[in-house]
Amino acid sequence: MRWGIVGPGGIAGQFARAVAEMPEGQVVAVSSRSIVRARAFAEQHGIARAYEGVEDFVADDGIDAVYVATPHSRHEADVLAAVGAGKHVLCEKAFALDAVQAERMVAAARGAGVFLMEAMWARFLPAYRTLRSLLDEGAIGEPLMVEADFGFRAPVDPHHRLFDLGQGGGALLDLGIYPVQLCAFVLGLPERVVADGVVGETGVDETMAALLHHAGGRLGVAKASLRTPLSCTARISGTAGWIDLPAFMHCPATLTLHRMSGVETIDASFAGEGLRFEIEEVQRCVAEGATESSIMPLDETVALMRVLDTIREHLGVVFAGGRGRP
Ligand SMILES: NC(=O)c1ccc[n+]([C@@H]2O[C@H](COP(=O)([O-])OP(=O)(O)OC[C@H]3O[C@@H](n4cnc5c(N)ncnc54)[C@H](OP(=O)(O)O)[C@@H]3O)[C@@H](O)[C@H]2O)c1
């Protein structure tokens, strides 16, 4: 697959390194707001073509799929541009600013008949695949509770995308999405959501905690912070035991299974770049003619955005151009 990258920042570099590890893929083009930065990234990663802006980039016939690695506020525009040009798309998490944008992006991809997926790389890692098998075989009985958190202390910088409301900053969209999607991965979508948090001077949620009420009296507890170092772990408790995901809960190298019969640590380590696994999924799906992944389906992505919207309403965070508290 011939990939093009839009947004040559931090995660884009990891993506380029991951594709370089894979025989079936190649990054052939990169787009930046600045041709200087596009060329520098292209040179660093051995990419043939550099573009300023997305218009000429998406018109490049040599690109099969676009990886959208811009800030959350740009995801909708970049995805719509790529999909409109008939490209398959892998779009970074959180997928959009809100569910309204996410619905438009999904409708456009379905209308164009191209592949689209939220880059929820955690779900494709060996740890999450093992977790799915353990849950399916009833290793901990019926799962009843998921507790997960992801947080670190970053300096408040109003210009950094994490603290910039205009770029869709905040703990929830950047970090909270991981605990929230884990709750959905294990328990399904929640029926009710309550949340509270701390909104900082720049208007973004710096710390948040949400309680997700799932059918059958099952609960998810999700926390995230840009100002408080959290354990970055997860625990999934069931009727017959529990599974611990050590730090970092979105990409752990082991799982620990606790049961009456004893404690077992399961290796889930991998070599190389972790983004490789989601890229393999995109390439496999496209090769098979599928327009979405069953592991990170588009309806779930949109539903997760609705959960994030509800949490944001509780927090009182409103994005410019996005939907906030009604
Ligand atoms: N999967 C993961 O593990 C992971 C990790 C980190 C981040 N992410 C996700 O990846 C996305 C990008 O995060 P990142 O940490 O790579 O961000 P980043 O380092 O700030 O890079 C984003 C790039 O987007 C471009 N851009 C386009 N429009 C922009 C705008 N209006 N403001 C600022 N930059 C703009 C910038 O490049 P030019 O200025 O050259 O155009 C910038 O380098 C986010 O959705 C984030 O949640 C995922």
Side-chain angles (χ1 to χ4, degrees):
M1 178 169 279
R2 297 167 303 174
W3 286 94
I5 295 176
V6 53
I11 197 64
Q14 279 185 42
F15 182 90
R17 287 193 292 278
V19 174
E21 290 176 359
M22 304 167 65
E24 312 83 7
Q26 190 187 0
V27 180
V28 297
V30 59
S31 159
S32 161
R33 291 174 299 174
S34 137
I35 189 65
V36 174
R37 284 196 293 277
R39 285 191 183 129
F41 188 91
E43 193 174 327
Q44 187 184 354
H45 295 282
I47 298 168
R49 298 185 292 286
Y51 291 96
E52 183 169 280
V54 287
E55 205 173 314
D56 293 339
F57 166 79
V58 296
D60 183 333
D61 286 340
I63 299 173
D64 302 312
V66 169
Y67 172 56
V68 173
T70 45
H72 309 134
S73 54
R74 284 288 314 168
H75 288 181
E76 181 187 21
D78 292 333
V79 167
L80 292 182
V83 161
K87 311 296 185 197
H88 304 295
V89 178
L90 175 65
C91 176
E92 261 307 333
K93 45 53 68 177
F95 192 63
L97 290 181
D98 61 28
V100 173
Q101 290 190 347
E103 282 164 8
R104 283 196 292 256
M105 294 152 72
V106 168
R110 287 184 173 154
V114 294
F115 180 90
L116 175 63
M117 187 177 91
E118 180 179 9
M120 186 47 68
W121 66 300
R123 290 199 175 183
F124 304 95
L125 294 171
Y128 275 63
R129 290 183 188 251
T130 303
L131 173 61
R132 171 58 72 217
S133 304
L134 289 171
L135 295 172
D136 287 351
E137 71 197 33
I140 57 165
E142 186 199 349
L144 293 176
M145 186 177 287
V146 175
E147 300 157 274
D149 63 48
F150 192 173
F152 50 79
R153 185 166 176 82
V156 177
D157 173 358
H159 305 295
H160 192 281
R161 68 170 188 82
L162 290 177
F163 291 95
D164 181 1
L165 198 59
Q167 293 185 61
L172 175 64
L173 261 63
D174 222 83
L175 308 176
I177 179 69
Y178 287 115
V180 168
Q181 69 80 31
L182 177 62
C183 294
F185 187 67
V186 176
L187 303 174
L189 291 165
E191 292 181 333
R192 285 199 317 275
V193 177
V194 290
D196 206 343
V198 179
V199 176
E201 284 174 12
T202 67
V204 306
D205 61 296
E206 294 184 352
T207 297
M208 54 73 52
L211 199 53
L212 315 182
H213 191 106
H214 299 256
R218 298 168 305 145
L219 288 180
V221 184
K223 292 175 280 180
S225 183
L226 298 171
R227 297 291 289 154
T228 308
L230 300 176
S231 69
C232 303
T233 59
R235 173 166 291 181
I236 296 149
S237 304
T239 50
W242 67 91
I243 299 168
D244 282 335
L245 277 59
F248 291 92
M249 53 73 55
H250 65 311
C251 56
T254 59
L255 301 176
T256 308
L257 176 59
H258 298 255
R259 292 189 285 199
M260 287 294 283
S261 52
V263 178
E264 186 187 345
T265 296
I266 301 165
D267 180 54
S269 58
F270 55 87
E273 291 287 343
L275 297 191
R276 192 179 78 238
F277 299 95
E278 66 175 2
I279 299 168
E280 276 169 5
E281 173 74 354
V282 179
Q283 296 186 165
R284 186 189 63 78
C285 288
V286 170
E288 291 174 2
T291 51
E292 59 184 286
S293 162
S294 60
I295 298 170
M296 191 67 244
L298 291 170
D299 285 348
E300 187 180 348
T301 283
V302 172
L304 284 171
M305 280 312 310
R306 287 198 195 102
V307 173
L308 300 193
D309 285 356
T310 307
I311 294 174
R312 219 156 37 74
E313 284 168 14
H314 282 277
L315 297 171
V317 172
V318 182
F319 294 130
R323 196 178 55 175
R325 191 193 284 273

